Amino acid sequence: MRFSVLVAAATVASATPVVKRQQAMSNPILHFFVFGDSYSSSGFNETSPAPTIAQPLGFPPLGTSPDDLLGNPLIANQTSSNGPIWPQFLTTRWNTSTTLLYDFAISGASIPDGYTDQALNIYEPKYSSLYAGDYGNMSMQIPVTNGSAGGGTLGMTWTGNTSIFASWIGINDINWCSLLFTRTPDVPFSSCLPPRLDEYFNLMDNLYITGARNFFFVNLPPLQRAPMVFEKGQKYVDNYAQGVELWNQHLLPQYIANFTASHPGVRSITYDAHTFFSTILDRPRVYGFRDNTCYSCIGCRNVTGCFWSNNYHPVWQVHDRLSRDMVANLTAVGWPGPQPIT
């Protein structure tokens, strides 16, 4: 997949290919913070148990083994994919070091609704440097426990170098600005979307202040190819395609470039989900899917070869492939291990 890396006052380290994830406790623990909408939401929230070495997802817990996410039906009940989602696959399978997942994503989130709540009301009060009373310090004092009954800490903390902040947002913002949902159809995407990105990157400023230095942004998939949109007709397909193109090709890259250039020490990478989705949707049978239009429903267990779990969300098999494809790009912002050999 195509991707771009922006570096401000930082260098990118190389890594050695691996065959399978290793639980190398001598390596730094990676803290993976995720913000987004239903494409990323796992059910984790402010009342969930914090991730531990024994339970790196926090909530929902692992399946029967660290590599068996499908062994826990609770995971499927909490996601939009009828199974695990990309942050869970990344955390448990596609890395070479212990990784703890803090998945703040909320189903239905947009900017500022939902997304602001994740950053200011869930992350900051409990997991940021503000919580530690150490405002602006790159070393965040979150105690990491070993999951034992006593809850003893291992004396480890996350820092700017041992954490990655991932953000996949904008899918619902396209909805609310589109002809399909907007109450003001005379307002174009070019007027509706920029204020949302202003809010978005104000929140990135907040994350930076709390110690975040490695940022992983995901652009928008081809939403016009989701059944919810194409079933409405060509007028809506064209409208969604216009909004996605403006977000992906013009707005998001410029905002990321400006943010990276103005924040010393930041490393930013943009993952091209649009190309990834398009590649599979163009040739679904090659990738093991029946076609690119069928879907069932979230919570159903009788999905047979469909790309879509419902009319707007991909199934877990797409998330599995997506996570594997992301790994090679994530190494540029510190992910422990490049693309696995399968």
Side-chain angles (χ1 to χ4, degrees):
M1 294 298 105
R2 294 172 296 156
F3 65 97
S4 59
V5 181
L6 299 172
V7 181
T11 58
V12 178
S14 60
T16 304
V18 296
V19 176
K20 186 174 175 61
R21 176 193 182 206
Q22 303 292 322
Q23 286 288 352
M25 292 301 295
S26 59
N27 293 340
I29 291 178
L30 177 72
H31 300 263
F32 190 36
F33 298 94
V34 175
F35 303 82
D37 51 37
S38 56
Y39 273 51
S40 307
S41 177
S42 66
F44 183 86
N45 59 44
E46 66 270 23
T47 65
S48 299
T52 67
I53 304 301
Q55 291 292 344
L57 305 183
F59 177 84
L62 292 171
T64 56
S65 74
D67 290 320
D68 184 24
L69 293 174
L70 295 174
N72 182 5
L74 183 60
I75 288 177
N77 293 338
Q78 298 293 327
T79 69
S80 63
S81 70
N82 287 325
I85 53 175
W86 63 275
Q88 295 171 328
F89 281 118
L90 280 169
T91 298
T92 62
R93 290 186 178 180
W94 312 118
N95 59 70
T96 59
S97 180
T98 301
T99 301
L100 305 184
L101 173 63
Y102 307 80
D103 187 354
F104 305 114
I106 298 173
S107 184
S110 61
I111 308 163
D113 302 322
Y115 192 87
T116 301
D117 188 46
Q118 297 167 46
L120 299 186
N121 299 328
I122 303 177
Y123 161 72
E124 280 197 6
K126 190 172 182 180
Y127 295 103
S128 77
S129 58
L130 303 180
Y131 175 71
D134 196 13
Y135 190 87
N137 194 315
M138 288 181 62
S139 180
M140 170 51 207
Q141 306 298 311
I142 297 176
V144 178
T145 71
N146 57 16
S148 64
T153 67
L154 301 181
M156 290 174 282
T157 61
W158 73 259
T159 69
N161 290 329
T162 61
S163 60
I164 296 176
F165 287 71
S167 180
W168 193 2
I169 196 69
I171 292 170
N172 291 312
D173 297 274
I174 295 294
N175 282 341
W176 310 143
C177 293
S178 73
L179 295 178
L180 192 58
F181 289 94
T182 185
R183 296 179 181 177
T184 53
D186 57 328
V187 177
F189 284 111
S190 58
S191 297
C192 184
L193 291 178
R196 293 172 178 267
L197 280 119
D198 288 341
E199 294 272 4
Y200 185 3
F201 282 84
N202 284 339
L203 293 171
M204 295 302 100
D205 288 337
N206 277 49
L207 296 183
Y208 178 84
I209 290 170
T210 67
R213 293 297 180 269
N214 299 312
F215 290 83
F216 180 62
F217 298 98
V218 183
N219 73 5
L220 299 182
L223 300 173
Q224 71 274 14
R225 302 185 69 170
M228 184 187 78
V229 180
F230 71 69
E231 288 177 347
K232 296 295 184 180
Q234 194 61 44
K235 171 183 176 182
Y236 297 98
V237 169
D238 293 342
N239 180 246
Y240 267 74
Q242 180 187 38
V244 169
E245 180 181 10
L246 178 63
W247 181 283
N248 284 353
Q249 302 300 321
H250 303 285
L251 296 177
L252 185 63
Q254 189 58 58
Y255 274 84
I256 292 173
N258 291 342
F259 170 73
T260 305
S262 61
H263 292 76
V266 160
R267 298 189 295 182
S268 301
I269 187 170
T270 305
Y271 175 77
D272 190 0
H274 191 279
T275 294
F276 173 84
F277 274 63
S278 298
T279 298
I280 298 180
L281 289 169
D282 288 345
R283 304 175 67 191
R285 289 185 176 273
V286 172
Y287 294 92
F289 298 101
R290 191 172 78 203
D291 58 45
N292 57 15
T293 61
C294 70
Y295 62 93
S296 182
C297 63
I298 294 175
C300 296
R301 298 294 178 264
N302 60 345
V303 179
T304 55
C306 293
F307 180 95
W308 303 98
S309 64
N310 74 347
N311 65 357
Y312 204 55
H313 299 86
V315 296
W316 67 264
Q317 291 91 337
V318 175
H319 284 265
D320 188 14
R321 288 185 175 275
L322 176 67
S323 65
R324 279 182 283 173
D325 194 65
M326 287 175 166
V327 171
N329 300 354
L330 273 164
T331 58
V333 287
W335 191 262
Q339 183 72 36
I341 299 172
T342 57

